[in-house]
Amino acid sequence: MTDVVILCGGKGTRLAEETGLRPKPMVEVGGMPLLWHIMKHYAAAGHTRFVLALGYKGDYIKSWFLHYRMAGSDLTITLDPKVEPVVHGGAAEPWEVVLVDTGEESLKGARIKRLASHLTGDRFHVTYGDGVGDVDIAALEASHVASGATGTITGVRPPSRFGELAIEGDRVVRFEEKPQLAEGGSYINGGFMVFERAFLDRLTTDESCDLEFGALQDLAADGGLGVWRHDGFWQCMDTVRDRDYLERRWAAGDAPWKTWE
């Protein structure tokens, strides 16, 4: 089991219809926060210790986890503040969740550095709190270990922002709402990253310390950054349109990122 760092501190301004009330990772798909979907995916791969980098509306995330088990259980409450509630049953996941306030304005590199004392091993996963995919976490980590790299990122081909028409004559023979970019297209960083602990030496706690524009660029220039290519499903949730797309797929029972039973 390897610790999983999830970056949950951004303000999600492009999803302002939702993020005025809650942080973006807590926007719901299928009645549960997207953050829960991400954690379920990692837990299905055997990783159940999570360190969440909080920032914007971090108290919302703390409150959700504090009440998560109780919300799904029967309770006996004694109206004496010295007596703790008794929880009857319930089926909350056996996760360890460390919630760390890393600053409202901090960039991603600073967030990771500020929670470093909570990491327990020599290697750790990092992902964003706003993207899902059917990434093979075990294969990603195995590739990282075999390569000897300091860090490995998952390269994905993002879905098109527009529908794609397959046309024969004057008829549409196939319509795809959000197809993946064609094979041979450029890859982008889809999150789902693995790092050796030594990577932390490239980061600082200064809130201006970024991850992509800085530490990862420098690591790549030094030859220490690997890539694991993922050509399966991947989708970020930047806009209401993205949220609605994920919601439709979940409702239809067609959610490729649901890798758990």
Side-chain angles (χ1 to χ4, degrees), residues 93-138:
E93 291 83 352
W95 300 341
E96 181 179 349
V97 185
V98 183
L99 302 123
V100 185
D101 182 358
T102 57
E104 186 160 327
E105 302 298 331
S106 300
L107 298 183
K108 299 182 187 76
R111 295 191 188 283
I112 296 171
K113 185 70 170 184
R114 291 181 181 193
L115 56 71
S117 63
H118 296 282
L119 299 175
T120 59
D122 294 329
R123 181 179 303 123
F124 59 97
H125 289 267
V126 176
T127 196
Y128 306 124
D130 62 357
V132 291
D134 56 353
V135 176
D136 187 331
I137 300 298

Side-chain angles (χ1 to χ4, degrees), residues 24-75:
K24 185 159 67 163
M26 301 306 289
V27 174
E28 293 184 356
V29 172
M32 295 297 285
L34 194 70
L35 176 59
W36 176 87
H37 291 255
I38 295 166
M39 295 169 76
K40 290 286 283 187
H41 178 60
Y42 274 97
H47 304 294
T48 57
R49 187 176 190 274
F50 301 94
V51 185
L52 307 188
L54 307 183
Y56 174 71
K57 294 189 179 296
D59 286 349
Y60 187 107
I61 299 178
K62 289 180 181 179
S63 178
W64 191 87
F65 279 102
L66 276 172
H67 295 95
Y68 178 44
R69 182 186 174 198
M70 291 188 179
S73 306
D74 295 331
L75 303 173

